[in-house]
C-alpha cells in the first residue's frame, strides 16, 4: 500500500511538472514550510490547527490560481488578468533569456507576451535592466531567475505567490500570539488567509504579496528584540526603517558590527534592516 501511494504521488508530481515547470520545486517548498509550521506549535491542538489551516489555505490558492490562469488563457487575455502582472511576466521572460542565453518563451505563447518580451529586447538589447525601473524591480528578477532555472512558467509564479501569501498570515500569527493573545492571533490568521483582496493577490503574478511577506518577516525578526528590549527594541526598529529608507543601511551595518559579534539579537536586527531595504526595490 505504501509503495502504491508513493507511485501515485510520483505520477501526480510528474503531471504537475508537465502542467507547469518548476511546480515540483514549489511543492517541495510547501512541504518544508508545512513541517516547520507543525513544529512551531507549542501544544498538540495548536499544531493541528496551524497545519490544517495552512493546507486549506494552500489548496485554495492553488485551485483558484489554476482556474484564473486557465480562464484568462481561454478568453485570450494573456498570461494574467492584471496589467502589472503581465508586465512582470514580460520582464521575467526577457531577463531569463538574457541569463540563460536561450529562447524561453514558447511559440504557443500569447501575442501580447511576445510583444512585451520583444519590447524589452529592443530597449535593453541583451543587457540586464536596472533593478530600480518601472515593471522590473526585485520581483521582475525573481521571475527571470525562476524562468531561467525551470522554463517559462507564469502559473508556477502564481503558485509561489500563493505560498508566500499563506506564510504572511503565519508570520503575523506568531507575532500577535506573543504580543496579544492566542485567540486574537487565531482569528486574525483566519481573517487574513480568506479575506478576498489578500486572497486575490495570492493567486496572481503581482508583486504585492512578496512585499507583504518581507514586511511580515521583518516584524517576525524583530519579535524577540522588541519582546526583550521593549521600548528600546521598538526605537531600534523605527531607526532601522529610517536608515534603510535613506539608503544608509550600510552605515547601520558598520555601527552594529561590534554588537552583532556579542549578541545574536542584533544579527536579526541587521537582517531585518536589509530586508526593509530590499523590499523598497520590489
Amino acid at each position: 500500500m505504501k509503495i502504491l501511494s508513493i507511485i501515485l504521488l510520483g505520477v501526480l508530481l510528474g503531471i504537475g511538472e508537465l502542467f507547469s515547470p518548476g511546480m515540483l520545486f514549489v511543492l517541495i517548498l510547501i512541504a518544508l514550510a508545512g513541517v516547520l509550521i507543525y513544529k512551531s506549535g507549542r501544544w498538540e491542538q495548536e499544531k493541528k490547527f496551524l497545519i490544517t489551516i495552512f493546507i486549506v489555505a494552500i489548496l485554495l490558492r492553488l485551485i483558484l490560481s489554476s482556474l484564473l490562469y486557465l480562464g484568462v488563457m481561454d478568453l485570450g487575455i494573456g498570461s494574467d488578468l492584471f496589467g502589472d502582472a503581465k508586465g512582470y511576466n514580460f520582464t521575467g521572460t526577457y531577463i531569463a533569456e538574457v541569463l540563460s542565453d536561450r529562447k524561453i518563451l514558447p511559440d504557443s505563447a500569447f501575442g501580447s507576451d511576445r510583444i512585451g518580451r520583444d519590447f524589452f529586447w529592443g530597449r535593453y538589447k541583451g543587457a540586464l535592466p536596472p533593478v530600480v525601473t518601472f515593471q522590473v524591480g526585485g520581483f521582475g528578477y525573481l521571475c527571470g531567475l525562476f524562468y531561467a532555472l525551470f522554463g517559462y512558467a507564469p502559473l508556477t509564479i502564481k503558485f509561489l505567490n500563493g505560498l508566500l501569501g499563506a506564510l504572511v498570515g503565519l508570520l503575523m500569527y506568531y507575532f500577535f500570539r506573543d504580543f496579544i493573545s492566542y485567540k486574537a492571533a487565531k482569528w486574525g490568521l483566519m481573517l487574513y488567509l480568506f479575506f478576498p483582496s489578500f486572497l486575490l493577490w495570492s493567486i496572481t503574478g503581482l508583486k504585492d504579496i512578496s512585499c507583504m511577506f518581507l514586511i511580515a518577516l521583518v516584524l517576525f525578526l524583530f519579535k524577540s528584540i522588541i519582546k526583550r528590549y521593549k521600548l528600546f527594541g521598538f526605537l531600534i526598529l523605527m531607526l532601522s526603517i529610517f536608515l534603510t529608507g535613506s539608503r544608509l543601511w550600510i552605515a547601520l551595518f558598520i555601527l552594529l558590527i561590534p554588537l552583532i559579534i556579542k549578541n545574536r539579537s542584533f544579527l536579526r536586527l541587521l537582517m531585518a534592516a536589509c530586508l526593509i531595504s530590499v523590499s523598497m526595490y520590489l
Side-chain angles (χ1 to χ4, degrees):
M1 189 67 181
K2 288 183 178 180
I3 296 176
L4 183 61
S5 300
I6 293 172
I7 292 174
L8 180 60
L9 178 62
V11 171
L12 291 174
L13 290 176
I15 293 173
E17 186 68 19
L18 288 174
F19 181 58
S20 184
M23 187 174 178
L24 179 58
F25 173 74
V26 174
L27 290 176
I28 291 173
L29 292 180
I30 291 173
L32 291 174
V35 172
L36 294 174
I37 288 167
Y38 183 79
K39 288 185 175 181
S40 69
R42 293 176 176 174
W43 57 89
E44 193 62 29
Q45 185 180 359
E46 185 185 26
K47 290 176 185 287
K48 290 181 180 179
F49 165 71
L50 290 177
I51 195 62
T52 300
I53 199 168
F54 175 69
I55 291 173
V56 171
I58 286 293
L59 287 176
L60 181 62
R61 282 159 171 77
L62 293 181
I63 292 170
L64 291 179
S65 58
S66 299
L67 291 176
L68 179 63
Y69 181 70
L70 293 174
V72 296
M73 285 185 66
D74 186 60
L75 293 173
I77 296 174
S79 58
D80 205 293
L81 181 64
F82 300 95
D84 283 354
K86 292 180 183 179
Y88 291 117
N89 185 52
F90 302 157
T91 308
T93 305
Y94 168 74
I95 291 173
E97 292 187 346
V98 172
L99 292 175
S100 62
D101 195 26
R102 61 186 174 89
K103 182 180 178 182
I104 295 292
L105 195 66
D107 295 330
S108 58
F110 284 98
S112 60
D113 294 335
R114 291 196 297 271
I115 292 171
R117 185 272 315 271
D118 293 343
F119 167 79
F120 279 93
W121 270 106
R123 183 173 184 180
Y124 296 107
K125 305 185 186 322
L128 291 173
V131 177
V132 190
T133 306
F134 178 68
Q135 292 286 291
V136 180
F139 191 73
Y141 270 88
L142 174 65
C143 295
L145 182 60
F146 197 91
Y147 291 169
L149 291 173
F150 301 107
Y152 183 70
L155 178 58
T156 314
I157 292 294
K158 296 172 177 56
F159 289 160
L160 186 60
N161 265 349
L163 171 60
L164 294 179
L167 291 179
V168 169
L170 269 301
L171 289 171
M172 296 308 298
Y173 168 86
Y174 299 133
F175 186 86
F176 290 117
R177 180 188 64 182
D178 290 351
F179 283 98
I180 302 178
S181 69
Y182 167 70
K183 186 176 181 180
K186 182 178 179 180
W187 280 104
L189 174 62
M190 290 189 291
L191 285 172
Y192 163 78
L193 287 178
F194 306 110
F195 196 78
S197 59
F198 292 137
L199 186 59
L200 181 61
W201 289 339
S202 295
I203 62 174
T204 66
L206 294 168
K207 70 174 183 179
D208 303 73
I209 284 297
S210 61
C211 293
M212 291 176 63
F213 174 75
L214 286 178
I215 293 170
L217 188 56
V218 166
L219 289 175
F220 178 78
L221 288 170
F222 269 98
K223 180 168 66 70
S224 61
I225 296 175
I226 295 175
K227 193 172 183 179
R228 181 173 178 180
Y229 299 106
K230 294 184 170 51
L231 179 59
F232 177 63
F234 179 76
L235 292 176
I236 291 175
L237 172 61
M238 294 298 103
L239 176 63
S240 69
I241 292 174
F242 170 76
L243 289 174
T244 52
S246 304
R247 304 293 190 266
L248 294 176
W249 62 272
I250 296 178
L252 178 65
F253 174 84
I254 295 171
L255 289 172
L256 292 179
I257 284 177
L259 297 172
I260 293 167
I261 295 173
K262 296 179 180 180
N263 195 321
R264 289 187 179 181
S265 295
F266 283 95
L267 179 58
R268 291 193 175 192
L269 168 64
L270 172 63
M271 292 171 62
C274 292
L275 284 170
I276 295 171
S277 183
V278 169
S279 67
M280 293 183 178
Y281 290 99
L282 288 176

